């Protein structure tokens, strides 16, 4: 009996040790200021307001310096265990996917169902954006590079890493060489900060955003009171209590709330949870939201909810129906 | 009166001697300190390398050069390198503040004379430094040498040995 117990304990421990957090995807995206100031932009009129947006496809087809910088960054990041998503390839894939979805038919003539939301979601995405900007400046006969690389968490919109500065002016070196030198020079500092972000994530949990919204078919709003856990509280306060219990060290902030929505930021979720089979599984915002949904489906709420995923780090729970 | 002067002179001499004794002790501690890395960045190195000037202290010039090489590698591992001359700062490879003590056994062998640390010192001004790079100080020499450290190789080996944490560790 003792042997069996020890074996089970050893297996559980090894499974916990082997569990790995969900790896964030990283992509280099040229900054808006770079694209627009270099003429890689498109004009749109939306709701009577003229908007200028970067044209990434045009930029990738024309800008050798940016391509070189992206290639260099990708090679270095792959070496550090983070192969980057390639923006150019991602854009090509999306075009191809759209064409294939439109052309695809079943043997019985059925077509692939795609809602407007599905179409909206078909964009180039990554969990961490490496927002890259540089410009080659002249000072008399000398060239130098201003370099700005920011690591942005796509869901919390926080800058999690960064490196910026100006290279040493040179008369002899070609601008491309100065740019390569800037990438080599700044990437260690950038990765050092990225490592701090990951260390913090492993220590204090993944930071996500969580929003609760309601369909107009929902039978109650978020100000309604319920008897829950021996207390009578507003729905919003019950969600607060649930988050307090389930977040790492009870860390979350309610950024806003009303009868129709609850908005939580800086929600620190654990990286792993124990599944029903006893295995440690990596979790993300969607799985965390699913746990809350499971609570809402039970009395006293007894309501259906839709969990809408926005990448690894943001989820919406829409109360009222699936 | 004369006696009083003699006593005062004697006390002054004792104080000077005392001050010297303390500075000698301090100097010894300074020479032996494992945190005494003086580093000046020379520019952006080739891909995966760091180029900087580093100083070492020892009684003999040759020993000071050896110490400088050890300091160069140690600075990359424990303290990081400040920026300058167009190069951005480089963070320490081992980010835990007490890495040196935690892995004391590993680093004792790593930094032993002729140890593994030499693998990462690719290029130095190994000739006996002169001028400002070779200063006679009390109790020995302070010597500055320019070094090229194979930073990426050093980081990868420390990661493989389980001393430094990989960027993708845990994923």
């Amino acid at each position: 009996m003792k042997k069996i117990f020890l074996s089970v304990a050893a297996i559980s421990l090894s499974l916990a040790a082997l569990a790995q957090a969900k790896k964030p995807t990283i992509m280099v995206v040229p900054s808006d200021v770079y694209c627009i100031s270099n003429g890689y932009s498109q004009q749109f009129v939306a709701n009577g307001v003229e908007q200028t947006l970067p044209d990434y496809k045009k930029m990738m087809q024309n800008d050798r310096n940016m391509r070189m910088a992206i290639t260099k960054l990708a090679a270095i990041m792959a070496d550090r265990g983070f192969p980057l998503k390639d923006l150019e390839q991602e854009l090509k894939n999306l075009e191809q996917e759209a064409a294939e979805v439109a052309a695809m038919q079943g043997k019985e003539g059925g077509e692939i169902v795609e809602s407007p939301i599905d179409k909206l979601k078909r964009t180039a995405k990554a969990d961490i954006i490496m927002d890259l900007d540089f410009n080659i400046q002249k000072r008399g006969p000398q060239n130098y590079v201003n370099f700005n690389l920011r690591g942005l968490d796509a869901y919390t919109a926080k800058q999690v890493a960064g490196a910026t500065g100006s290279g040493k002016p040179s008369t002899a070196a070609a601008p491309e060489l100065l740019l390569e030198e800037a990438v080599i020079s700044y990437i260690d500092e950038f990765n050092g900060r990225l490592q701090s972000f990951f260390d913090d994530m492993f220590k204090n949990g993944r930071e996500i955003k969580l929003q609760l919204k309601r369909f107009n078919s929902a039978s109650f709003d978020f100000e309604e009171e319920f008897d829950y856990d021996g207390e009578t509280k507003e729905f919003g306060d019950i969600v607060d209590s649930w988050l307090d219990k389930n977040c790492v060290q009870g860390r979350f902030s309610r950024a806003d709330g009303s009868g129709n929505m609850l908005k939580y930021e800086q929600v620190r979720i654990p990286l792993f949870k124990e599944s029903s089979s006893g295995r440690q599984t990596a979790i993300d915002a969607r799985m965390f939201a699913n746990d809350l949904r499971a609570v809402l489906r039970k009395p006293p709420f007894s309501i259906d909810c839709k969990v809408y995923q926005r990448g690894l780090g943001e989820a919406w729970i829409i109360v009222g129906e699936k | 009166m004369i006696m009083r002067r003699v006593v005062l002179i004697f006390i002054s001499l004792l104080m000077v001697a005392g001050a010297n004794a303390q500075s000698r002790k301090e100097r010894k501690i300074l020479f032996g300190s494992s945190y005494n890395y003086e580093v000046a960045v020379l520019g952006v190195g080739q891909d995966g390398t760091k180029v900087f000037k580093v100083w070492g202290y020892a009684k003999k010039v040759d020993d000071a050069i050896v110490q400088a090489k050890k300091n160069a590698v140690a600075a990359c591992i424990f303290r990081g390198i400040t920026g300058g001359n167009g190069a951005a700062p480089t963070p320490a490879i081992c980010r835990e503040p007490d890495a040196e003590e935690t892995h004391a056994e590993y680093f004792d062998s790593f930094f032993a004379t002729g140890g593994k640390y030499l693998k990462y010192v690719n290029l130095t001004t190994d000739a006996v430094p002169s001028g400002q790079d070779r200063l006679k100080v009390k109790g020995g020499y302070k010597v500055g040498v320019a070094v090229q450290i194979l930073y990426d190789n050093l980081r990868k080996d420390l990661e493989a040995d389980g001393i430094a944490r990989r960027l993708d560790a845990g994923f």
Side-chain angles (χ1 to χ4, degrees), chain A residues 42-280:
Chain A
Q42 306 171 69
Q43 310 286 329
F44 285 102
V45 178
N47 299 326
V49 181
E50 192 177 66
Q51 289 187 337
T52 307
L53 292 173
D55 186 343
Y56 296 122
K57 191 176 171 188
K58 188 175 169 190
M59 190 268 310
M60 297 305 291
Q61 286 172 343
N62 292 285
D63 195 320
R64 286 180 193 281
N65 282 343
M66 180 55 85
R67 283 175 63 88
M68 192 274 287
I70 291 176
T71 306
K72 191 78 201 168
L73 282 169
I76 293 170
M77 292 305 288
D79 196 42
R80 301 295 303 266
F82 277 96
L84 300 184
K85 272 179 136 179
D86 185 67
L87 175 63
E88 187 177 11
Q89 205 53 44
E90 192 74 4
L91 293 172
K92 283 180 189 169
N93 279 345
L94 288 169
E95 279 181 7
Q96 181 71 18
E97 188 187 322
E100 284 173 17
V101 165
M104 187 78 70
Q105 271 193 338
K107 283 183 180 170
E108 311 291 325
E111 291 180 352
I112 292 177
V113 180
E114 212 179 22
S115 71
I117 286 288
D118 296 334
K119 282 179 187 162
L120 264 180
K121 280 171 92 87
R122 205 194 296 133
T123 54
K125 277 189 288 195
D127 301 309
I128 294 173
I129 304 283
M130 289 171 77
D131 180 89
L132 176 62
D133 178 32
F134 61 82
N135 54 67
I136 295 157
Q137 299 277 349
K138 270 195 167 294
R139 191 171 69 188
Q142 295 179 314
N143 291 320
Y144 67 98
V145 172
N146 279 333
F147 190 82
N148 188 358
L149 180 62
R150 301 192 303 153
L152 304 167
D153 184 334
Y155 309 108
T156 60
K158 285 187 177 175
Q159 181 174 323
V160 296
T164 181
S166 300
K168 199 176 177 184
S170 169
T171 315
E176 306 84 63
L177 200 66
L178 291 175
L179 180 59
E180 189 182 355
E181 189 180 272
V183 172
I184 293 169
S185 175
Y186 289 102
I187 194 67
D188 284 323
E189 186 188 4
F190 179 87
N191 279 337
R193 292 179 200 275
L194 195 59
Q195 177 106 55
S196 300
F197 168 66
F198 292 149
D199 289 348
D200 175 69
M201 193 169 91
F202 282 107
K203 193 178 163 200
N204 299 314
R206 189 191 293 277
E207 187 175 326
I208 65 156
K209 274 185 183 172
L210 184 68
Q211 289 198 49
L212 278 84
K213 299 172 185 286
R214 59 185 285 269
F215 284 116
N216 54 10
S217 55
S219 55
F220 60 83
D221 72 14
F222 298 162
E223 284 166 354
E224 188 153 321
E225 293 188 346
F226 292 90
D227 290 327
Y228 187 77
D229 260 0
E231 285 181 273
T232 304
K233 287 200 272 190
E234 269 191 20
F235 178 80
D237 294 331
I238 294 170
V239 174
D240 284 2
S241 302
W242 187 88
L243 286 173
D244 190 45
K245 270 187 207 157
N246 289 279
C247 290
V248 178
Q249 296 164 15
R251 291 167 70 174
F252 70 95
S253 313
R254 193 206 278 200
D256 214 343
S258 71
N260 297 317
M261 63 94 175
L262 294 166
K263 197 171 176 181
Y264 294 96
E265 289 180 353
Q266 302 187 88
V267 180
R268 292 289 193 144
I269 64 167
L271 295 174
F272 310 101
K273 74 168 189 177
E274 199 168 308
S275 66
S276 49
S277 61
R279 278 192 64 184
Q280 293 282 322

Side-chain angles (χ1 to χ4, degrees), chain B residues 31 56-61 64 134-137 139-143:
Chain B
F31 279 22
Y57 294 89
K59 278 187 180 174
K60 294 178 189 168
V61 173
R134 178 186 162 168
L135 299 174
K136 180 90 179 83
V137 292
Y141 287 89
K142 178 182 178 180
V143 168

Side-chain angles (χ1 to χ4, degrees), chain B residues 24-60:
Chain B
R24 205 177 299 138
K25 193 179 165 191
E26 279 176 358
R27 210 162 43 239
K28 205 172 173 185
I29 293 168
L30 184 73
F31 279 22
S33 171
S34 54
Y35 303 108
N36 185 24
Y37 320 129
E38 288 179 43
V39 166
V41 176
L42 297 173
V44 180
Q46 289 291 313
D47 203 354
T49 69
K50 303 291 167 192
V51 184
F52 52 90
K53 194 170 187 178
V54 60
W55 279 266
Y57 294 89
K59 278 187 180 174
K60 294 178 189 168

